[in-house]
Amino acid sequence: NQRMFLGFAGNQRHYLDGSGHFSMNLWKQRVDRYRNINFSSFIEDGTIIGHYLIDEPNDAVNWGGQPVTGSAVEAMAVYSKQIWPKMATIVRVDPGYLIPWGPYRALDAAWAQYVTWKGTPQDYINRNIADAQKLGLMLVSGLNIIRGGPGGTTMAASLVQSAGQTILAE
């Protein structure tokens, strides 16, 4: 009864160019290591939820000062679908970041991860649901327990419970 996302490219350090910027060619090389594996039965039975393409493309610090655009994320999703047509494609970013580059045809979902500096849990999930719907994307949500509390601290158990309940209720 396990479900999982697969991140074929691994840690971002493996697909940064010499300037520390995102490299689509290096990302593809990392994904290609799994190109010949038939995941069909695991996709069909729901074991594999989808291909986790990239984490925080919006964070310029991660990418040598140049965020990864929504167009590049869509190109990653297209590449993934060429290899595994029935596997969902997911990016770990609030869907609002993706709006300027929409619509998306190959990208299936955005993954919104709550942290307290992004507002109340209710406002946060409502905003992300609306943005995902605007783009025709599914939404994965979660909590950044380690650094998502006030001032980037660990979330208190009471916050995990209350924010988690709020987000899961939607």
Side-chain angles (χ1 to χ4, degrees), residues 29-104:
Q29 287 173 20
R30 298 284 298 176
V31 171
D32 283 344
R33 299 173 305 151
Y34 301 94
R35 170 179 284 282
N36 295 319
I37 298 175
N38 182 354
F39 293 106
S40 298
S41 65
F42 300 108
I43 296 166
E44 290 169 17
D45 73 9
T47 301
I48 295 175
I49 297 170
H51 181 183
Y52 177 30
L53 302 172
I54 191 170
D55 189 49
E56 296 185 325
N58 60 312
D59 190 346
V61 172
N62 295 340
W63 310 106
Q66 295 180 357
V68 180
T69 66
S71 299
V73 171
E74 176 69 0
M76 287 182 244
V78 166
Y79 193 76
S80 178
K81 294 282 188 182
Q82 289 170 352
I83 302 168
W84 305 287
K86 294 184 179 182
M87 189 182 303
T89 54
I90 301 137
V91 58
R92 224 291 294 144
V93 70
D94 290 355
Y97 174 73
L98 300 168
I99 289 173
W101 299 279
Y104 295 87

Side-chain angles (χ1 to χ4, degrees), residues 86-168:
K86 294 184 179 182
M87 189 182 303
T89 54
I90 301 137
V91 58
R92 224 291 294 144
V93 70
D94 290 355
Y97 174 73
L98 300 168
I99 289 173
W101 299 279
Y104 295 87
R105 289 180 175 49
L107 183 64
D108 294 305
W111 179 348
Q113 186 167 273
Y114 177 70
V115 293
T116 58
W117 64 265
K118 291 185 178 181
T120 68
Q122 190 66 61
D123 289 344
Y124 179 76
I125 194 63
N126 288 346
R127 179 175 60 252
N128 280 281
I129 289 170
D131 289 345
Q133 287 174 339
K134 215 179 285 182
L135 293 165
L137 298 176
M138 293 180 284
L139 183 66
V140 176
S141 61
L143 308 173
N144 183 336
I145 295 170
I146 306 273
R147 290 188 292 269
T153 61
T154 300
M155 285 186 178
S158 59
L159 178 58
V160 171
Q161 183 176 17
S162 64
Q165 286 174 339
T166 299
I167 290 169
L168 286 173

